[in-house]
Amino acid sequence: MIPNPLQSLCAWALVLALAGTDALALATLPQPSAALEDVATRIAAALAREQRGELKDARELWLALAPEVAPGTERDAIIARARSLAARLALRDEIQTAVPTDQRVFAEIGIDKADATGIVSGAKHTPWHEVSLDILMRAAAAARASRDAQNGLVFETLVRGTEARKRDALLDLGRRFERGEIDAGDAFAAVARARSEPIPARGYAFQNGVWIGLDVAAEKARSAGLEEAARALETAASGKRESALQALEKLGPEGAARVLPALEKRLNDAALVLAQAVSQRPVIAVVEARKTLDECRKSALDLIFDEERYFYPYTPPECPEEKVKLYAGVQQEVDGLVSKVRDAWKFSRRANLSPNVKIALDELDWNRAVRTPRKLAFAWPEALPTWVDGLDRNGDFLDLKNFAWDAKERSILRRNGEIDALNTRAWQRKESDAARRADGEEQKQVEVTNEYRRMFGRNVLAWNPKLQTAAQGHSDYMSLTGDFGHFEKDPARRTPGDRLRLAGYSGGGGENCSLGNTSAEGAHTGWTHSSGHHRNILGHGHREMASALAAIYWTQNFGSGREFEAELARTGE
């Protein structure tokens, strides 16, 4: 047996020989040792006998060489080569045996006689290795060749056939392999010889009419699995996308690498749906109306919060007489700008949003959310206006009241609705302390204030019973004493801040007072015609409020506290 150190050196010669290298080419290769030179010489001799058609002698040489090669792929290939020669010899023997029994049929084929050396047609002798493949095929059929002999015809074709015939023979070999009519090792060795390549370590698979190395097949299957998993993620419905994402990631680093392209495909598909939807005229009309509203809001708010032009106080003796005369003109200008805001706010057209828009918006949010923990970049689709991120995820239509420029504003609008509902629930609960209750007109006053703030794009305010207590106490004081203003004579209750602290409110805030008009709307109108009170109503930092009425005296308290958030959190649970 060839020792292991020499086996690795001679493996190249065996592989080349078994893959079909001829003796002349093999002889030109360098011989690194005497032992290897002897092996190469014997391989060359076996190959030369095959080429001369001396299959029996060649087979004996291969079989004699096999025991001298250590067990493994090289020895298996040698044995398979010898077996292929045996099958080719079986074909010759069966034809030789069948010719005398049916001379007429074989004569029509072109065979009058057959012996171990070849066939005779007329007076011409043709060696077996020169007999045409067409005659061999017809002769094999006439001889009703055995399975081994039929395999031998396939091997013969792979050795001597044209490229087209070899392709057909490989296809035939594959079918025989699938039917179990040929040994796997013999089939693999024949494929490797036909392709002039080493037998793959794991052998071959016959798939869709093609021989493919099992390693390659496994890689293709893995790649196909990756492709299938990636496509599954690209096309999964919302209810299955999470599982599709996890399935792709389970395929390892290569699966993880396919996640971002699949997410991009989903995002782009959603963006196309949204881009088409938001390009419709009704939607564009709402967007343009919002732009107009924003311009009107800015102009009005700029003047309302301009403390130089829209000054406070504006009555004597705190304000000089000459300056007092200017106030009416500025207030008139404010009223005009507020009127433009109100007119813009009345825009009533709406655009219907299809269910597909909701699905696409949901995909946009999910797509963005799953990227963050995976540190995958998210870029807003170029085809999509950024304000699409402000669309109400649950809305069936788009109008000026629910339009938002971005996700932050959308969140504010949603929160506004939650606060409105929170106020309604709070008013429906009957407080045992009358000072902590708001009656119908007082509730309406909060609603009027919130609607005004909403019109100007401000957050709506949560009603707070502590602020109600402070406001009610001051309205009662003014009603009982006739002392109108922000200050009380009791030192403990002198300022609005004092009264808020006594009511248990620590969030700070502001106070508006009104005299003479007992309706919620009337009080509001009066406050919006007083610069300081007007600014108080639209204060950006306010979060909570309450309004209280006693006789003809209104008190409106604002706070920056967030006590309402605990109630909102409980509601959301």
Side-chain angles (χ1 to χ4, degrees):
M1 181 180 294
I2 297 175
N4 286 337
L6 287 177
Q7 184 183 350
S8 61
L9 293 174
C10 73
W12 62 273
L14 291 173
V15 170
L16 287 172
L18 300 176
T21 303
D22 60 32
L24 179 60
L26 187 62
T28 64
L29 296 172
Q31 309 298 321
S33 70
L36 181 55
E37 183 177 355
D38 178 62
V39 171
T41 300
R42 292 165 69 183
I43 291 173
L47 289 170
R49 281 171 170 73
E50 282 193 31
Q51 289 181 335
R52 293 195 298 268
E54 300 169 4
L55 303 189
K56 185 175 181 180
D57 293 341
R59 177 174 176 271
E60 290 176 354
L61 287 173
W62 288 121
L63 290 175
L65 182 60
E68 300 184 31
V69 178
T73 55
E74 289 84 4
R75 177 189 280 188
D76 293 343
I78 289 173
I79 295 172
R81 184 128 193 177
R83 287 168 58 88
S84 74
L85 296 179
R88 291 167 67 186
L89 287 168
L91 174 64
R92 297 178 183 185
D93 289 343
E94 292 184 18
I95 293 173
Q96 183 181 341
T97 301
V99 169
T101 63
D102 203 344
Q103 292 182 342
R104 184 182 61 81
V105 173
F106 280 97
E108 291 176 356
I109 295 173
I111 301 176
D112 296 326
K113 296 180 180 179
D115 58 24
T117 62
I119 65 170
V120 176
S121 179
K124 183 181 178 181
H125 177 271
T126 303
W128 282 110
H129 68 283
E130 294 181 5
V131 176
S132 73
L133 292 174
D134 287 335
I135 290 178
L136 284 179
M137 289 179 185
R138 294 171 64 190
R144 295 181 178 84
S146 67
R147 178 182 296 176
D148 284 347
Q150 291 175 13
N151 291 340
L153 180 59
V154 174
F155 295 142
E156 191 82 31
T157 305
L158 289 173
V159 171
R160 297 199 288 127
T162 63
E163 290 302 317
R165 281 188 178 274
K166 287 181 179 180
R167 286 195 297 270
D168 290 342
L170 286 173
L171 186 61
D172 188 13
L173 183 68
R175 291 167 180 161
R176 292 176 181 276
F177 172 70
E178 289 179 329
R179 295 193 297 265
E181 295 174 359
I182 188 168
D183 179 77
D186 294 348
F188 295 166
V191 173
R193 288 196 301 271
R195 294 179 173 178
S196 297
E197 66 185 24
I199 300 174
R202 296 174 57 200
Y204 291 97
F206 186 67
Q207 296 179 350
N208 301 319
V210 178
W211 286 97
I212 182 171
L214 278 173
D215 291 336
V216 176
E219 175 61 24
K220 285 191 173 182
R222 190 182 62 80
S223 297
L226 279 170
E227 290 296 328
E228 183 178 357
R231 284 195 299 272
L233 177 55
E234 290 175 357
T235 59
S238 59
K240 296 183 178 180
R241 63 192 173 193
E242 193 67 40
S243 59
L245 173 60
Q246 294 174 5
L248 183 56
E249 290 179 323
K250 285 181 180 178
L251 297 179
E254 290 183 318
R258 300 298 299 273
V259 168
L260 182 57
L263 291 177
E264 284 294 310
K265 174 67 166 56
R266 294 185 66 92
L267 179 61
N268 290 333
D269 289 347
L272 288 176
V273 172
L274 293 170
Q276 183 176 10
V278 301
S279 65
Q280 304 301 311
R281 280 187 183 178
V283 175
I284 294 174
V286 174
V287 176
E288 293 303 315
R290 174 57 191 269
K291 291 178 181 178
T292 299
L293 176 63
D294 285 353
E295 293 172 359
C296 294
R297 282 173 170 173
K298 184 179 185 306
S299 297
L301 289 171
D302 283 348
L303 182 53
I304 291 170
F305 283 87
D306 185 342
E307 296 185 24
E308 291 295 325
R309 292 194 61 209
Y310 196 39
F311 50 88
Y312 188 88
Y314 53 87
T315 57
E318 294 89 349
C319 181
E321 289 287 348
E322 290 302 317
K323 193 173 183 180
V324 170
K325 297 176 182 178
L326 300 175
Y327 183 79
V330 179
Q331 182 62 56
Q332 185 176 12
E333 186 177 350
V334 168
D335 290 345
L337 293 173
V338 170
S339 179
K340 289 183 178 180
V341 172
R342 186 170 284 109
D343 288 343
W345 184 241
K346 291 177 181 178
F347 182 84
S348 59
R349 290 184 61 185
R350 61 169 54 178
N352 292 325
L353 300 178
S354 71
N356 286 338
V357 170
K358 292 184 183 180
I359 294 172
L361 288 171
D362 175 67
E363 173 60 36
L364 189 154
D365 293 339
W366 177 84
N367 203 298
R368 179 166 43 194
V370 298
R371 295 184 192 221
T372 301
R374 293 167 176 80
K375 297 182 180 180
L376 300 176
F378 178 87
W380 188 262
E382 293 183 1
L384 211 55
T386 56
W387 58 259
V388 168
D389 209 18
L391 288 174
D392 183 1
R393 274 30 182 180
N394 298 312
D396 295 321
F397 59 86
L398 176 69
D399 65 6
L400 196 59
K401 305 301 186 293
N402 68 12
F403 182 92
W405 285 118
D406 52 34
K408 181 179 180 181
E409 186 181 3
R410 167 164 54 88
S411 178
I412 292 171
L413 295 183
R414 177 185 56 78
R415 190 180 179 89
N416 285 347
E418 292 173 350
I419 292 173
D420 285 337
L422 180 68
N423 289 345
T424 299
R425 289 195 300 273
W427 292 331
Q428 289 172 347
R429 291 193 295 267
K430 297 301 182 182
E431 292 276 358
S432 58
D433 184 352
R436 291 170 58 90
R437 293 199 300 265
D439 65 18
E441 198 65 20
E442 291 167 337
Q443 295 172 15
K444 183 177 179 182
Q445 214 297 304
V446 173
E447 292 173 341
V448 169
T449 301
N450 274 336
E451 181 58 25
Y452 193 71
R453 289 178 62 87
R454 184 182 279 111
M455 184 178 76
F456 272 94
R458 299 296 204 227
N459 60 292
V460 302
L461 307 178
W463 177 81
N464 186 296
K466 294 177 182 178
L467 291 176
Q468 185 70 33
T469 298
Q472 191 64 60
H474 189 55
S475 289
D476 290 343
Y477 167 81
M478 291 187 291
S479 174
L480 292 171
T481 64
D483 186 7
F484 176 72
H486 296 289
F487 301 99
E488 295 186 16
K489 290 184 169 54
D490 184 345
R493 297 178 50 84
R494 177 165 175 74
T495 67
D498 295 333
R499 296 188 288 274
L500 291 178
R501 283 190 295 273
L502 287 173
Y505 191 85
S506 58
E511 182 179 85
N512 285 344
C513 296
S514 174
L515 166 65
N517 198 319
T518 58
S519 72
E521 287 281 2
H524 173 77
T525 301
W527 284 324
T528 58
H529 284 76
S530 171
S531 55
H533 298 83
H534 203 168
R535 283 190 281 271
N536 226 1
I537 286 175
L538 293 172
H540 203 47
H542 297 336
R543 293 291 178 270
E544 299 176 314
M545 72 166 295
S547 294
L549 175 65
I552 58 173
Y553 294 92
W554 278 101
T555 301
Q556 191 178 49
N557 280 149
F558 300 96
S560 59
R562 297 176 180 269
E563 295 184 7
F564 68 97
E565 290 182 346
E567 179 66 23
L568 278 184
R570 285 193 295 272
T571 304
E573 291 176 353

